[in-house]
């Protein structure tokens, strides 16, 4: 019998543990390496990502196009509605001067003068009927007359002050003293303001100021 001893089996894991303890880098076995991605698989993944990005961009472009088309449709509807709403404005403006002439004719003859002359009275009645017919035609086309009475507050959205005078008795500064001409509004659009005389605070003359200073 031979006296030669058989070397004990060495576990590979023990060798790796010893190498790690000694700071020796070990090369992993082939079965421990992560599976490599083939060029074909990598190209397919990139293609999927690119297609998804293109699809998202196409959806965004479609939503923008739909929104723009909707905004265009709404703008067109508003423009058409405004054209229909204010279609009578040019004709109304042409007849405003006629209305003012009729009003001037009525104001030129007082009721007392008309009562004293039957011919003049009939003429005045005819002019008044003409004015009423014209105002009724305005009303049917949504043209409303703007009037102003003494004592009413001045409104720059409806009135135009052509003159300012010292406030008479019973009228406060900023109130209307007299209406000169009626105004007109088409729906909510002012096409002619009413012309008025507006009261202002009494102006103190220089002579009066000097007299008060001397006293």
């Amino acid at each position: 019998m031979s006296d030669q001893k058989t070397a004990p089996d060495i576990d590979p894991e023990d060798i790796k543990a010893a190498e790690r303890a000694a700071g020796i880098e070990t090369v992993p076995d082939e079965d421990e390496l992560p599976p490599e991605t083939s060029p074909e698989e990598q190209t397919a993944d990139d293609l999927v990502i690119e297609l998804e990005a293109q699809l998202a961009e196409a959806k965004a472009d479609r939503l923008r196009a739909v929104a723009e088309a909707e905004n265009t449709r709404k703008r067109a509807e508003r423009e058409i509605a405004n054209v229909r709403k204010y279609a009578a404005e040019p004709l109304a403006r042409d007849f405003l001067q006629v209305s003012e002439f009729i009003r001037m004719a009525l104001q030129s003859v007082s009721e007392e003068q008309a009562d004293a002359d039957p011919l003049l009275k009939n003429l005045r009645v005819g002019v008044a009927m003409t004015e009423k017919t014209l105002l009724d035609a305005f009303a049917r086309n949504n043209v409303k007359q703007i009037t102003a009475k003494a004592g009413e507050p001045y409104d720059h959205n409806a009135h135009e002050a052509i003159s300012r005078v010292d406030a008479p008795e019973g009228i406060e500064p900023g109130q209307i003293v007299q209406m000169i001409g009626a105004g007109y509004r088409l729906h909510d659009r002012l096409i002619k303001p009413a012309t008025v005389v507006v009261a202002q605070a009494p102006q103190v003359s220089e002579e009066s100021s000097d007299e008060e200073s001397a006293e």
Side-chain angles (χ1 to χ4, degrees):
M1 178 180 288
S2 174
D3 294 336
Q4 186 179 0
K5 296 181 180 180
T6 304
D9 294 335
I10 299 175
D11 189 349
E13 294 296 330
D14 293 337
I15 297 175
K16 293 179 181 179
E19 289 176 345
R20 286 195 296 269
I24 301 174
E25 295 183 359
T26 60
V27 178
D29 297 336
E30 291 184 358
D31 56 352
E32 295 180 354
L33 290 173
E36 294 183 358
T37 303
S38 65
E40 293 78 6
E41 293 177 348
Q42 187 175 7
T43 302
D45 292 340
D46 293 341
L47 181 60
V48 170
I49 294 174
E50 183 179 354
L51 291 176
E52 289 178 347
Q54 291 178 359
L55 178 60
E57 185 177 357
K59 288 181 178 179
D61 290 342
R62 177 180 176 276
L63 291 176
R64 284 192 292 268
V66 170
E68 181 63 25
E70 181 66 15
N71 291 336
T72 302
R73 183 185 65 81
K74 290 181 179 180
R75 285 195 298 269
E77 289 180 350
R78 287 195 298 267
E79 290 175 359
I80 292 173
N82 284 336
V83 169
R84 292 175 178 173
K85 186 176 182 179
Y86 301 110
E89 181 175 357
L91 183 62
R93 289 185 179 276
D94 290 341
F95 277 93
L96 293 185
Q97 193 70 33
V98 177
S99 178
E100 292 181 0
F101 288 155
I102 293 175
R103 172 50 44 181
M104 291 171 59
L106 286 174
Q107 293 176 344
S108 65
V109 179
S110 65
E111 293 185 1
E112 292 77 10
Q113 292 173 326
D115 290 337
D117 187 340
L119 183 61
L120 194 59
K121 183 176 182 179
N122 291 336
L123 180 60
R124 194 176 192 278
V125 169
V127 174
M129 292 177 63
T130 302
E131 181 186 43
K132 183 179 183 305
T133 301
L134 180 59
L135 294 179
D136 289 343
F138 279 163
R140 287 193 298 271
N141 290 276
N142 298 297
V143 179
K144 299 180 180 180
Q145 190 179 57
I146 302 173
T147 58
K149 296 180 180 179
E152 290 182 352
Y154 174 78
D155 182 4
H156 67 276
N157 292 316
H159 307 140
E160 179 184 0
I162 62 173
S163 177
R164 295 183 181 274
V165 298
D166 292 346
E169 185 178 355
I171 302 293
E172 298 292 333
Q175 292 181 341
I176 294 173
V177 177
Q178 180 185 2
M179 184 185 78
I180 304 301
Y184 295 88
R185 193 188 302 275
L186 175 60
H187 292 287
D188 56 346
R189 178 181 295 178
L190 181 68
I191 57 178
K192 181 183 180 301
T195 52
V196 296
V197 177
V198 181
Q200 64 181 6
Q203 301 295 314
V204 179
S205 63
E206 295 181 0
E207 294 180 358
S208 299
S209 300
D210 294 341
E211 292 176 358
E212 291 177 359
S213 300
E215 293 177 359

